[in-house]
């Protein structure tokens, strides 16, 4: 048996070395389009269709177990497109049992339009053993590629099952959580609209609202234990942001989860610019005791204006079906921060307010700057009995030393999108 | 007429159902092809790895991890792994700034130590790695990258040191915030010893990670990982300045110090036998 096998290997090697008798893949593609019953290139069309007729036995040529068998094509089918049979799984046991020389048998007549299905077409999903043809000599090209090479996924990766071009995508991120919060904590919700201008390029409009913004526990710990705190500009809080930008998907792929589920994914990169509204913590949550009664006074924030906002980001888009996708991204919201006004009041305003507070003067008669909302620092909260005038000194501290910074608010975005 | 229409509709329905079923079959076959044709099957193989970890967040301390690991892949999706290494650690500029300014802040006579100041150095952990996801990525048109996505969980032990930024046992210059033996007050680098209160300990550590392993050639791989090291914090509260500046132990151990997280981004190399 071994000499025969060796001889067969030699014959197979010679056959591999001979010039290919197959037309270029483009020609095959054209032919395949003419004859729909013939498997064409690409992953989806490379799978042989169910046989229209029972498999035909091989005529004349002895089969070598390590070489790809040639399909038997009736002479009447000379004008039919040439079809490369799919490669058979390499099964060592099967090779041993397979007769090396088979008697030629008569070839029954068949319809030339019927799909040519060799008897060694693989039953892809029938067993646990994957086709193994890693030996280059054993790789026969099917429409330009070794279809049953384990690396045949090249074809499959190349062909995207769902096209994005000209589609609209609406992505909702219910949870947007800041991950680099040294001095600040942000959590919010974002909504993105993307129009996929091309397959890998889209225009994007984004909106985000942070329903939780506060200074971090670390910053409060510094204040409490060592009387230190971040500069006002470094602990600026972003309330909302709106941006326009672009999104590109340079990479895509597929993955299998536990051999059962298949998902397509794309690597998305995005960038944009816009504006965002900021604020700063003036006073953390405190308890206020008035006439023996204790009130819980919520934290107080001061408006620090709208700032220029930019962003860069990246992540994965896992597509489920044609219309739904899961998005996991990380974005860095970059915004300029200069704190020289709080609630429209600058340092000179706060000093006038403080002087008026000390002397019990009304704020309305003060020559404050136009945008200063002095009402926010006047009066007493009827619920908590907190005197807002006590916050003037805290607001003054924020702008006493005007600070500036460029903040990076890196957040994790988890959401889903709908394509239409 | 009705019977004829019924037959036509029935035939149409059968045809539509058959077409749909065939399409689904094709899709199922394709999916299986994708799933089954794994170029890299680590199951049954031993592997070694080297990694460098950079801090993702650094408040008061920063760590730079250097680790080596040995793993055995019980299956394609499951492995057991042991890792050991050393983390070079330091105080951040913020911590140094706090320590210098706090020396001069004599209005704060009683305070608590800051949290999360322990620095991890030597460490060893053992854990399991579950890689349920095998994927293929098209980097460029002709170059697919095969990868596994995994989660990792395990535990072990580490050696830790803690250098206070509050308790200076020998104040050299209060206004300049000097608490070491520097030869020149302006030159911090000239110091060979500092007088900040230092503690050491060994403690259990738990680690968890998510990451990707990209296969390269037959036996090599590149690992990208986000890893969290978690250990119990330990610090003292109600410290009295007069006591610590006299070199006496002061304060009480915090009753519920919480956990410290060291989050790192790890870049690694793996070799499979």
């Amino acid at each position: 048996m071994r000499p025969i096998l060796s001889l067969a290997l030699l014959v197979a090697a010679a056959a591999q070395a001979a010039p290919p008798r197959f037309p270029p893949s483009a020609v095959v593609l054209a032919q395949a389009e003419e004859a729909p019953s013939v498997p064409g290139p690409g992953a989806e069309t490379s799978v042989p269709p169910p046989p229209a007729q029972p498999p035909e036995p091989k005529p004349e040529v002895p089969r070598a177990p390590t070489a790809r068998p040639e399909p038997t094509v009736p002479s009447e089918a000379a004008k039919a497109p040439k079809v490369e049979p799919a490669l058979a799984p390499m099964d060592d046991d099967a090779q041993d049992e397979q007769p090396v020389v088979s008697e030629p048998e008569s070839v029954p007549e068949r319809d030339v339009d019927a799909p040519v299905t060799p008897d060694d077409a693989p039953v892809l999903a029938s067993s646990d053993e994957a086709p193994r043809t890693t030996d280059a000599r054993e790789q026969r090209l099917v429409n330009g590629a070794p279809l049953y090479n384990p690396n045949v996924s090249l074809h499959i990766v190349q062909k995207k099952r769902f096209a994005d071009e000209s589609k609209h995508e609406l992505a909702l991120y219910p949870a947007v959580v800041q991950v680099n919060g040294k001095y600040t904590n942000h959590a919010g919700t974002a909504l993105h609209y993307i129009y996929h201008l091309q397959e890998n390029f889209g225009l994007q409009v984004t909106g985000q609202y942070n329903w939780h913004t506060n200074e971090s526990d670390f910053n409060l710990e510094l204040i409490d234990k060592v009387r230190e705190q971040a500069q006002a500009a470094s602990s600026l809080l972003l309330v909302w942001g709106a941006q326009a930008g672009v999104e590109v998907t340079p990479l895509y792929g597929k993955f299998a989860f536990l051999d059962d589920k298949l998902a397509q994914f794309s690597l998305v990169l995005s960038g944009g610019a816009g504006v965002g509204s900021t604020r700063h913590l003036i006073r953390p949550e405190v308890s206020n005791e008035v006439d023996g009664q204790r009130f819980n006074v919520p934290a107080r924030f001061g408006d620090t204006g709208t700032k220029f906002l930019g962003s860069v980001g990246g992540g994965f888009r896992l597509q489920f079906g044609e219309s739904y996708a899961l998005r996991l991204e990380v974005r860095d919201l970059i915004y300029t921060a200069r704190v020289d006004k709080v609630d429209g009041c600058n340092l000179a305003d706060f000093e006038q307010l403080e002087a008026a507070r000390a002397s019990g003067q009304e704020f309305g008669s003060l020559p404050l700057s136009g945008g200063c909302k002095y009402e926010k620092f006047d009066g007493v909260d009827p619920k908590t009995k907190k005197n807002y005038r006590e916050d003037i000194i805290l607001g003054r501290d924020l702008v006493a030393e005007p600070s500036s910074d460029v903040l990076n608010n890196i957040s994790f975005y988890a959401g889903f999108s709908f394509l239409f | 007429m009705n019977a004829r229409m019924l037959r036509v509709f029935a035939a149409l329905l059968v045809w539509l159902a058959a077409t749909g079923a065939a399409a689904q079959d094709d899709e199922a076959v394709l999916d299986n092809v994708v799933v089954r044709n794994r170029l890299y099957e680590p199951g049954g193989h031993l592997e070694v790895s080297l990694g460098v970890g950079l801090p993702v967040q650094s408040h008061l301390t920063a760590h730079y991890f250097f680790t080596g690991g040995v793993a055995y892949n019980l299956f394609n999706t499951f492995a057991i792994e042991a890792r050991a290494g050393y983390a070079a650690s330091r105080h951040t500029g913020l911590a140094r700034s706090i320590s210098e300014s706090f020396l001069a802040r004599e209005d704060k006579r009683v305070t608590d130590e800051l949290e999360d100041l322990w620095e991890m150095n030597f460490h060893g952990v053992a854990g399991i790695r579950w890689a349920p996801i095998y994927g293929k990525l098209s980097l460029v048109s002709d170059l697919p990258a095969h990868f596994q996505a995994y989660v990792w969980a395990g535990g072990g032990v580490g050696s830790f040191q803690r250098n206070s930024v509050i308790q200076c046992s020998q104040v050299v210059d209060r206004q300049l915030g000097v608490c070491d033996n520097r030869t020149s007050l302006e030159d911090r680098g000239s110091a060979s010893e500092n007088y900040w209160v230092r503690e050491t300990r060994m403690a259990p550590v738990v680690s968890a990670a998510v990451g990707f392993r990209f296969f390269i050639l037959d036996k090599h791989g590149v690992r990208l990982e986000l890893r969290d090291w978690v250990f119990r914090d330990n610090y003292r509260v109600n410290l009295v300045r007069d006591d610590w500046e006299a070199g006496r132990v002061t304060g009480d151990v915090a009753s519920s110090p919480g956990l410290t997280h060291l989050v790192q981004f790890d870049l690694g190399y793996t070799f499979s036998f």
Side-chain angles (χ1 to χ4, degrees):
Chain A
M1 182 66 82
R2 285 189 180 278
I4 297 174
L5 279 171
S6 301
L7 183 61
L9 278 170
L10 279 173
V11 172
Q16 292 284 345
R21 62 183 180 80
F22 304 106
S25 59
V27 177
V28 174
L29 175 61
Q31 289 172 341
E33 286 169 353
E34 289 171 10
S37 61
V38 176
E44 278 74 2
T45 53
S46 293
V47 175
Q53 294 178 356
E56 297 172 3
K58 290 283 168 290
E60 68 262 0
V61 183
R63 295 183 57 197
T66 54
R68 300 293 183 283
E70 298 294 331
T72 301
V73 181
S75 58
E76 292 85 350
K79 293 181 181 178
K82 288 183 178 178
V83 177
E84 180 67 17
L87 302 181
M90 299 301 294
D91 188 334
D92 294 339
D93 296 337
Q95 287 171 21
D96 292 341
E97 295 169 2
Q98 191 176 13
V100 175
V101 179
S102 61
E103 293 296 328
E105 296 178 11
S106 61
V107 179
E109 288 190 2
R110 52 180 291 180
D111 185 1
V112 296
D113 293 333
V116 180
T117 306
D119 58 350
D120 56 349
V123 182
L124 294 173
S126 61
S127 73
D128 292 334
E129 294 191 12
R132 298 274 184 267
T133 54
T134 54
D135 189 341
R137 294 173 305 173
E138 297 176 350
Q139 294 179 0
R140 172 169 291 171
L141 300 183
V142 179
N143 297 327
L147 181 60
Y148 285 95
N149 185 303
N151 199 19
V152 75
S153 56
L154 172 62
H155 295 269
I156 297 165
V157 171
Q158 283 181 328
K159 181 156 183 148
K160 291 179 78 173
R161 184 175 296 172
F162 308 110
D164 290 335
E165 186 172 0
S166 300
K167 282 194 172 180
H168 305 264
E169 183 173 0
L170 201 59
L172 175 67
Y173 302 87
V176 177
V177 182
Q178 185 182 10
V179 294
N180 71 329
K182 180 186 282 187
Y183 301 121
T184 61
N185 285 331
H186 291 81
T189 299
L191 186 66
H192 294 183
Y193 164 77
I194 305 113
Y195 175 65
H196 295 276
L197 206 60
Q198 296 177 353
E199 191 61 33
N200 297 328
F201 180 83
L203 303 176
Q204 192 177 60
V205 178
T206 70
Q208 177 174 337
Y209 176 74
N210 290 323
W211 30 263
H212 171 76
T213 58
N214 207 339
E215 291 190 359
S216 67
D217 292 341
F218 176 64
N219 198 35
L220 299 178
E221 182 191 14
L222 294 184
I223 295 170
D224 177 44
K225 293 181 178 176
V226 293
R227 299 281 193 267
E228 298 278 351
Q229 66 174 324
Q231 283 189 325
S234 301
S235 52
L236 205 61
L237 305 168
L238 181 70
V239 182
W240 58 262
Q243 296 182 81
V246 297
E247 179 181 282
V248 294
T249 54
L251 305 177
Y252 61 90
K254 296 181 179 184
F255 68 79
F257 182 80
L258 287 179
D259 290 357
D260 291 330
K261 304 294 181 188
L262 183 72
Q264 287 200 144
F265 69 91
S266 302
L267 176 71
V268 296
L269 302 175
S270 58
V275 294
S277 174
T278 61
R279 69 178 185 178
H280 198 284
L281 180 70
I282 294 178
R283 170 182 33 79
E285 181 178 324
V286 293
S287 62
N288 187 31
E289 189 168 341
V290 179
D291 299 333
Q293 223 178 343
R294 187 175 290 274
F295 299 94
N296 192 34
V297 185
R300 176 176 178 182
F301 300 88
D303 179 27
T304 48
T306 55
K307 310 288 183 188
F308 173 78
L309 189 66
S311 74
V312 291
F316 294 100
R317 188 183 75 172
L318 279 65
Q319 194 156 351
F320 301 101
E322 197 165 353
S323 302
Y324 301 96
L326 178 69
R327 278 177 169 258
L328 303 171
E329 297 175 47
V330 173
R331 277 178 180 246
D332 184 5
L333 295 180
I334 306 156
Y335 46 102
T336 57
R338 178 173 171 80
V339 180
D340 52 8
K341 288 182 179 179
V342 173
D343 285 329
C345 304
N346 58 27
L347 180 59
D349 295 330
F350 277 115
E351 287 181 341
Q352 290 187 65
L353 291 172
E354 178 61 15
R357 184 189 72 84
S359 62
Q361 189 180 351
E362 288 294 320
F363 289 169
S365 59
L366 297 175
L368 303 173
S369 60
C372 180
K373 300 172 184 172
Y374 63 86
E375 301 89 352
K376 292 194 171 185
F377 294 94
D378 200 5
V380 176
D381 188 340
K383 289 182 181 175
T384 62
K385 312 297 183 192
K386 176 69 177 173
N387 188 342
Y388 290 140
R389 290 196 168 201
E390 295 171 359
D391 294 335
I392 292 173
I393 191 68
L394 300 175
R396 180 192 168 281
D397 287 346
L398 289 179
V399 297
E401 293 180 11
S403 55
S404 61
D405 200 352
V406 177
L407 299 182
N408 292 77
N409 184 338
I410 302 175
S411 297
F412 175 70
Y413 290 65
F416 51 87
S417 66
F418 175 66
L419 292 101
F420 53 98
Chain B
M1 185 64 177
N2 286 340
R4 192 174 188 179
M5 286 289 289
L6 202 61
R7 281 198 298 273
V8 170
F9 277 122
L12 190 62
L13 279 176
V14 168
W15 179 77
L16 285 173
T19 307
Q24 285 182 354
D25 287 347
D26 284 351
E27 193 166 292
V29 168
L30 279 171
D31 288 357
N32 283 330
V33 170
V34 175
V35 173
R36 294 196 324 171
N37 285 349
R38 295 186 169 193
L39 185 58
Y40 302 97
E41 296 186 335
H45 291 276
L46 192 72
E47 68 181 50
V48 294
S49 62
L50 293 172
V52 177
L54 301 174
V56 173
Q57 267 191 323
S58 54
H59 291 175
L60 297 173
T61 63
H63 292 74
Y64 304 89
F65 287 82
F66 303 92
T67 55
V70 179
Y72 181 72
N73 293 280
L74 296 171
F75 312 103
N76 282 336
T77 58
F78 190 84
I80 54 175
E81 184 173 22
R83 287 192 183 196
Y86 180 79
S89 61
R90 63 172 176 83
H91 275 178
T92 61
L94 174 65
R96 195 165 54 239
S97 170
I98 290 170
S99 64
E100 289 174 353
S101 63
F102 191 72
L103 272 185
R105 193 174 291 279
E106 292 188 84
D107 58 332
K108 189 73 174 172
R109 309 296 302 177
V110 178
T111 189
D112 299 341
E113 275 283 6
L114 292 174
E115 299 174 18
D116 300 332
L117 258 180
W118 284 98
E119 302 168 41
M120 187 165 74
N121 296 130
F122 288 103
H123 55 273
V125 288
I128 56 172
R129 185 179 65 204
W130 183 48
I133 290 175
Y134 182 94
K136 298 163 185 177
L137 188 69
S138 176
L139 288 178
V140 292
S141 60
D142 292 331
L143 179 61
H146 296 240
F147 67 88
Q148 278 186 317
Y150 61 85
V151 294
W152 197 103
V157 67
S159 70
F160 299 87
Q161 60 167 320
R162 187 180 195 283
N163 296 289
S164 175
V165 297
I166 288 178
Q167 298 184 74
C168 174
S169 59
Q170 187 176 333
V171 179
V172 176
D173 190 308
R174 192 176 297 280
Q175 294 307 313
L176 291 177
V178 178
C179 184
D180 54 37
N181 65 348
R182 65 184 68 174
T183 53
S184 166
L185 286 179
E186 305 299 327
D187 184 11
R188 185 186 296 119
S190 63
S192 60
E193 182 185 4
N194 69 63
Y195 308 122
W196 297 105
V197 172
R198 184 172 188 270
E199 300 168 82
T200 59
R201 66 167 174 162
M202 296 285 289
V205 60
V206 172
S207 183
V210 295
F212 292 92
R213 179 165 68 153
F214 290 89
F215 296 97
I216 299 173
L217 302 178
D218 283 340
K219 297 176 181 295
H220 308 274
V222 171
R223 191 183 64 207
L224 304 176
E225 188 178 271
L226 195 65
R227 178 170 290 272
D228 187 10
W229 301 88
V230 187
F231 51 89
R232 193 167 187 268
D233 199 359
N234 183 19
Y235 60 90
R236 302 181 79 84
V237 297
N238 301 321
L239 307 170
V240 179
R241 181 182 284 265
D242 293 336
D243 285 343
W244 80 63
E245 291 190 351
R248 294 190 293 269
V249 175
T250 178
D252 310 311
V253 176
S255 56
S256 54
L259 299 173
T260 296
H261 294 261
L262 301 179
V263 182
Q264 64 164 109
F265 173 74
D266 193 89
L267 177 65
Y269 163 80
T270 64
F271 179 83
S272 295
F273 293 96

